[in-house]
């Protein structure tokens, strides 16, 4: 523009030379200077018009947000606060501000559904890599695995143009009946906190927001839409909130999802205490609060109690979706009406829109974010690595495992779970996987043709042809009776060198599945009887439990080898086979306690689970999981932190750098670990802290550190743990703050919560 005008000016200057000659030299220069000023001014205004602040990536984000906000109409702003389809919300097309697209989460990218229907959109290019369930990830006790998981699933989300991944879930494992425990990270707030942070960071490194869910106290599925949770502040702050807090403060999560249930008689999706006081007030959360799908119940509360975006509301009043009814959402027309009539000030709307815009700037409007990748071999192998690291060897009497192929001629694989697809079912985390290796396929592939692998179903799980419109692998119709199935398995057992029983739960309703809890702790479909009968026929039996929850094992003494193999996604069968045959030395540790029976669990012993008059009181308070079994001296079936290896580890004596620390100091514990067996392997060394005397009751001990180390056979390594007063603190519910009380403490280092190998006392001044 500048050059163009200048050229014209010169042209004119030559043509009308006589005018120029008639003015003085000084006048000429003055004119020229003025002209250049004019040009610069025009030029500047052109630049500004081309790049408004809200689009200028060189401007600070908050400034861009304010600029965008100032350009939006009331209607455009309100539209941003609620869904426009099952999984999306509008941007501002007029301003070039993009839509938000959400996806489940948390184990893979959900297949596309129709705009306003839950059924599949029938895309042919949306088959994802299914990663292991989050319980499996937690069982790796390896933060590198959490980062790998987050990065990989984030890449899948990014490629599919989703800017919010609805996960991870970090609700605490309070009862093994919770149908959604498989989507969470176990019973311990410290373990869940450590594992959630890298997951969130990995996802967000792709310019995709992790939406941490379900905030908070969503610890059961039964009555999840109505139950009011009554919990004391100590349990809330010490047990149920830390993982969310870590995700927000250490992981810098960009989004959080409210839970379905109520707390203090307010639904959690619009809850003054959880969202305004704690999340925004105490933790300074600057991301966006998204409702769970259909979790909003009231316009005024949704306006004032911390919600930013409403999704999934059943528009005709808690039953079914009305096509195109998005304007009937609580944060849609009724919100607009209240703003228009002045019942609600616009600043309340602006608060929400700022959070939504911040989400958009961090994701879709970040031109530097990577492009992602989808369904790749790299992702499948990442899933396999995580799956293999998460499998827990619960029992291995007489070293039944690993199986030595040279010694085997005939393997009998029994169980419905050996062939059942586990990436479909279970609720909103259900996937359309690119492929899924079943345990039977994995075993067959691993042993090749030299060993005969015979399959007997043994028991029958429910028929599943498809789920949410995604086809499940067909298990051939089998009309034989239960007795016939059992007989076939037992007859085959007598002929086999080893039986691999692949059983457990599945993703059917009232198993590991959203919406309902399990009915009891026992294995379904008569598996107990089958296992007992098989043991009579052949003692060389390995039980592989596929589940996201603990199960009762009344036959535990009869079965020499037991593996906890979770839901492991696309590469499940290969991961299981790699452990069974010793290609990978198991290193998973339980992220929750396997109690023998329900009455051994605080929530069931004391509690009114699943609630009385739609109220659930957490009477066991802070005594969840091992905190309860420690306090009550209950011997669990398998302890929190337990997991065997094909090698053995010896622990030295723990040493401490100082016996007394002040509240501003740190303290370091060192212990030497030696691999005394013949295999190389990983050991997860666990640090628990015990407060010897305290003004408030405290758990016997609490996990405050862990370190997963790789040791070659015969080698040793020093493991150190450095902690500060945070690891010694409790939450004082009267003063409403964390207190590190002076006095004597004990550091306990071990291989599980009940296998403590060395202890040392120290003092806090
Ligand atoms: C679940 C959420 C999920 C959402 C969207 C809800 O029923 O509770 O975890 O993200 O649906 O599918």
């Amino acid at each position: 523009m500048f050059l163009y005008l200048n050229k014209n000016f010169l042209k004119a200057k030559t043509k009308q030379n006589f005018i120029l000659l008639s003015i003085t030299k000084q006048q000429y220069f003055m004119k020229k200077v003025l002209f250049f000023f004019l040009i610069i001014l025009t030029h500047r205004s052109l630049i500004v018009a081309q790049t408004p602040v809200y689009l200028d990536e060189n401007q600070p984000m908050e400034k861009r947000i304010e600029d965008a906000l100032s350009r939006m109409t009331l209607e455009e702003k309100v539209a941003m606060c609620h869904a426009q389809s099952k999984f999306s919300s509008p941007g501002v097309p007029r301003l070039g501000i993009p839509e938000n697209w959400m996806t489940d989460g948390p184990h893979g990218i959900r297949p596309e559904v129709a705009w306003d229907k839950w059924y599949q959109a029938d895309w042919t290019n949306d088959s994802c890599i299914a990663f292991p369930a989050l319980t499996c990830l937690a069982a790796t006790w390896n933060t590198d695995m959490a980062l790998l998981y987050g990065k990989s699933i984030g890449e899948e989300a990014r490629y599919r143009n989703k800017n919010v991944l609805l996960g991870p879930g970090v609700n605490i494992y309070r009862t093994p009946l919770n149908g959604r425990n498989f989507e969470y990270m176990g019973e311990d707030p410290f373990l869940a906190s450590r594992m959630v942070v890298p997951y969130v960071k990995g996802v967000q490194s792709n310019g995709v927001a992790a939406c941490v869910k379900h905030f908070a106290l969503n610890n059961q599925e039964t009555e999840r839409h109505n139950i009011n949770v009554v919990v004391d502040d100590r349990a809330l702050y010490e047990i149920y909130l830390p993982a969310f807090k870590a995700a927000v403060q250490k992981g810098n999560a960009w989004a959080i999802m409210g839970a379905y249930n109520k707390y203090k008689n307010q639904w959690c999706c619009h809850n003054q205490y959880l969202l305004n006081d704690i999340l925004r007030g105490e933790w300074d959360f600057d991301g966006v609060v998204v409702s769970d799908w259909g979790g909003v119940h009231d316009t005024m509360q949704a306006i004032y109690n911390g919600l930013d975006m409403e999704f999934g509301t059943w528009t005709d009043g808690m039953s079914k979706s009305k096509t195109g009814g998005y304007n009937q959402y609580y944060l849609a027309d009724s919100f607009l009406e209240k703003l228009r009539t002045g019942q609600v000030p616009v600043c309340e709307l602006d608060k929400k829109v700022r959070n939504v815009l911040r989400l958009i700037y961090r994701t879709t409007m970040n031109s530097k974010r990577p492009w992602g990748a989808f369904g790749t071999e790299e992702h499948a192998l990442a899933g396999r690595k995580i799956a293999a690291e998460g499998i827990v060897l619960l029992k291995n009497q007489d070293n039944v495992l690993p199986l030595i192929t040279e010694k085997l001629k005939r393997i009998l694989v029994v169980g419905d779970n050996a062939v059942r697809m586990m990436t479909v079912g279970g609720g909103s985390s259900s996937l359309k996987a690119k492929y899924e290796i079943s345990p039977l396929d994995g075993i067959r592939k691993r042993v090749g043709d030299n060993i005969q692998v015979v399959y007997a179903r043994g028991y029958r799980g429910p028929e599943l042809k498809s789920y949410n419109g995604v086809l499940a692998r067909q298990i051939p119709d089998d009309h034989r009776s239960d007795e016939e199935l059992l007989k076939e398995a037992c007859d085959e057992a007598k002929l086999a060198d080893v039986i691999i029983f692949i059983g457990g739960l599945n993703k059917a309703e009232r198993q590991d599945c959203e919406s309902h809890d399990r009915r009891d702790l026992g294995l379904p479909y008569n598996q107990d009887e089958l296992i007992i009968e098989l043991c009579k026929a052949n003692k060389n039996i390995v039980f592989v439990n596929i589940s996201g929850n603990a199960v009762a094992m009344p036959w535990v003494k009869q079965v020499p080898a037991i593996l906890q193999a979770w839901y492991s996604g696309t590469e499940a069968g290969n991961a299981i086979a790699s452990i069974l045959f010793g290609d990978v030395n198991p290193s998973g540790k339980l992220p929750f306690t396997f109690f023998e029976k329900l009455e051994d669990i605080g929530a069931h012993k004391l509690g009114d689970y699943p609630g009385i008059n739609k109220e659930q009181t957490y009477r066991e308070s802070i005594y969840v999981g091992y905190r309860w079994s420690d306090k009550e001296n209950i011997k669990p079936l398998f302890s929190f932190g337990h997991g065997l290896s094909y090698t053995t580890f010896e622990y030295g004596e723990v040493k401490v750098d100082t016996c007394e620390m002040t509240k501003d100091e740190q303290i370091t514990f060192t212990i030497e670990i030696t691999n005394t067996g013949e295999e190389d392997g990983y050991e997860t060394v666990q640090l628990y802290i015990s407060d010897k005397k305290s003004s408030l009751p405290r758990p016997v001990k609490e996990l405050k550190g862990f370190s997963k180390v790789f040791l070659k056979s015969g080698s040793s390594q020093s493991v150190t743990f450095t902690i500060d007063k945070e690891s010694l603190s409790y939450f004082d519910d009267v003063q409403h703050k964390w207190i590190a009380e002076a006095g004597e403490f004990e550091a306990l280092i071990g291989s599980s919560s009940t296998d403590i190998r060395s202890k040392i006392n120290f003092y806090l001044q």
Side-chain angles (χ1 to χ4, degrees), residues 399 585 645-650 673-681 711-716:
N399 294 336
N585 189 351
S645 162
Y646 294 150
T647 190
T648 44
F649 298 99
E650 214 173 82
I673 315 292
T674 306
N675 181 344
T676 47
E678 272 154 32
E679 300 289 327
D680 302 344
L711 288 169
K712 287 209 157 290
S713 160
S715 71
S716 304

Side-chain angles (χ1 to χ4, degrees), residues 153-166:
I153 195 172
E155 282 172 359
E156 297 247 328
R158 170 67 188 100
Y159 185 88
R160 285 267 303 279
N161 270 326
K162 310 298 177 192
N163 66 323
V164 181
L165 177 77
L166 302 174

Side-chain angles (χ1 to χ4, degrees), residues 433-702:
K434 198 167 170 185
Y435 66 93
E436 177 179 341
I437 309 278
S438 71
L440 182 61
D441 291 346
I443 292 167
R444 286 209 161 119
K445 206 169 114 211
R446 172 60 180 77
V447 300
D449 294 334
N450 295 337
I451 300 175
Q452 212 183 345
V453 179
V454 180
Y455 173 66
R457 199 169 171 193
Y459 72 93
R460 197 194 320 268
E463 205 175 315
L464 179 72
K465 290 212 156 58
S466 69
Y467 190 82
N468 281 348
V470 174
L471 290 183
R473 182 194 302 117
Q474 294 303 296
I475 301 175
D477 276 350
D478 196 336
H479 300 295
R480 289 174 295 169
S481 67
D482 289 352
E483 291 71 30
E484 283 170 312
L485 291 175
L486 186 138
K487 183 169 182 316
E488 180 201 42
C490 290
D491 288 348
E492 283 295 344
K494 290 178 192 140
L495 309 174
D497 298 317
V498 64
I499 309 166
I500 306 175
F501 188 113
I502 316 270
L505 308 179
N506 56 34
K507 301 274 193 77
E509 209 170 86
R510 292 199 181 275
Q511 299 295 317
D512 282 323
C513 184
E514 189 173 335
S515 295
H516 300 283
D517 284 352
R518 296 163 67 197
R519 287 200 174 91
D520 50 48
L521 194 60
L523 284 172
Y525 323 121
N526 230 2
Q527 290 180 70
D528 288 342
E529 190 194 336
L530 175 60
I531 294 169
I532 290 166
E533 289 306 313
L534 285 170
C535 287
K536 287 184 194 158
N538 188 334
K539 292 199 167 6
N540 205 20
I541 178 166
V542 180
F543 178 68
V544 181
N545 188 47
I546 309 283
S547 75
N549 258 316
V551 298
M553 296 183 180
W555 34 259
V556 69
K557 291 207 174 90
Q558 281 132 276
V559 175
I562 305 175
L563 280 179
Q564 175 59 36
W566 318 111
Y567 300 108
S568 300
T570 284
E571 283 280 322
N574 287 335
I576 291 171
S578 71
I579 295 284
L580 286 171
F581 295 95
D583 307 327
V584 175
N585 189 351
S587 66
K589 299 269 187 180
L590 286 179
F592 54 78
T593 310
F594 257 69
F595 285 97
E596 210 178 295
K597 47 190 187 309
L598 284 183
E599 305 80 72
D600 286 352
I601 303 166
H604 291 275
K605 172 103 184 165
L606 302 182
D608 32 29
Y609 172 88
I612 297 170
N613 297 332
K614 304 203 189 317
E615 189 146 288
Q616 169 70 215
T617 306
Y618 290 8
R619 295 189 202 283
E620 74 286 3
S621 180
I622 51 176
Y623 299 102
V624 174
Y626 68 89
R627 289 165 170 80
W628 176 261
S629 51
D630 276 356
K631 175 171 169 285
E632 299 293 309
N633 255 317
I634 290 167
K635 194 171 172 323
L637 186 57
F638 298 108
S639 312
F640 172 79
H642 169 74
L644 303 171
S645 162
Y646 294 150
T647 190
T648 44
F649 298 99
E650 214 173 82
Y651 284 56
E653 286 290 306
V654 56
K655 298 198 175 62
V656 67
D657 64 344
T658 166
C659 290
E660 252 183 60
M661 64 185 278
T662 66
K663 290 190 181 164
D664 304 320
E665 284 172 353
Q666 294 184 325
I667 186 165
T668 299
F669 306 99
T670 308
I671 191 160
E672 186 155 278
I673 315 292
T674 306
N675 181 344
T676 47
E678 272 154 32
E679 300 289 327
D680 302 344
Y682 283 96
E683 169 69 329
T684 300
V685 186
Q686 301 158 39
L687 166 74
Y688 296 85
I689 297 288
S690 170
D691 189 349
K692 301 314 274 178
K693 195 163 168 258
S694 148
S695 315
L696 292 185
R698 297 203 70 180
V700 173
K701 62 178 183 302
E702 293 183 284

